[in-house]
Amino acid sequence: QVQLVESGGGLVQAGGSLRLSCAASGSVASINAMGWYRQAPGKQRELVAIITSAGSITYADSVKGRFTISRGSARNTVFLQMNSLKPEDTAGYFCNALIRPSSSDPLTNYWGPGTQVTVSS
């Protein structure tokens, strides 16, 4: 069974930085892509950044130049370095991964439970 576990959220002042981590554990044959989404109260969940196994990266326009996504050397981890944080970045941040649990399984979308990021003004 595949699990995604996030860490690194917290409370920070505007202009500060946080680094989020996400690790996939369990039966993981291959990972097609890993990324981060966020959801603020009363708003829809939105893409923050995603990185594919080939290294292709996509960022939301609102975080370009401030956030950096990267994969760990173990390939089952993904990080999100968030700099120059703004109050509007406040949200629950969710790790997402497209994983093939075994060679005979289809690619399946997995979500972590989320970690809260709060940016004070």
Side-chain angles (χ1 to χ4, degrees):
Q1 188 171 357
V2 175
Q3 285 189 317
L4 300 181
V5 178
E6 304 108 333
S7 61
L11 173 65
V12 64
Q13 288 189 328
S17 299
L18 284 174
R19 180 177 170 88
L20 304 183
S21 300
C22 173
S25 64
S27 176
V28 178
S30 63
I31 300 178
N32 182 272
M34 296 187 78
W36 294 91
Y37 287 71
R38 67 186 181 187
Q39 187 169 20
K43 295 189 176 182
Q44 288 190 325
R45 190 170 294 190
E46 62 177 4
L47 173 70
V48 176
I50 188 167
I51 182 168
T52 70
S53 58
S56 177
I57 293 174
T58 301
Y59 291 104
D61 287 342
S62 59
V63 307
K64 283 180 181 176
R66 301 187 299 122
F67 291 11
T68 302
I69 190 170
S70 61
R71 295 282 293 270
S73 58
R75 312 308 294 173
N76 66 328
T77 55
V78 66
F79 306 99
L80 186 68
Q81 179 65 42
M82 305 185 293
N83 299 329
S84 303
L85 282 160
K86 304 175 181 180
E88 50 264 44
D89 294 317
T90 295
Y93 282 70
F94 298 86
C95 181
N96 174 263
L98 194 59
I99 293 173
R100 194 182 303 277
S102 73
S103 58
S104 60
D105 289 324
L107 283 170
T108 304
N109 207 28
Y110 291 91
W111 291 94
T115 185
Q116 180 66 32
V117 171
T118 302
V119 185
S120 63
S121 56

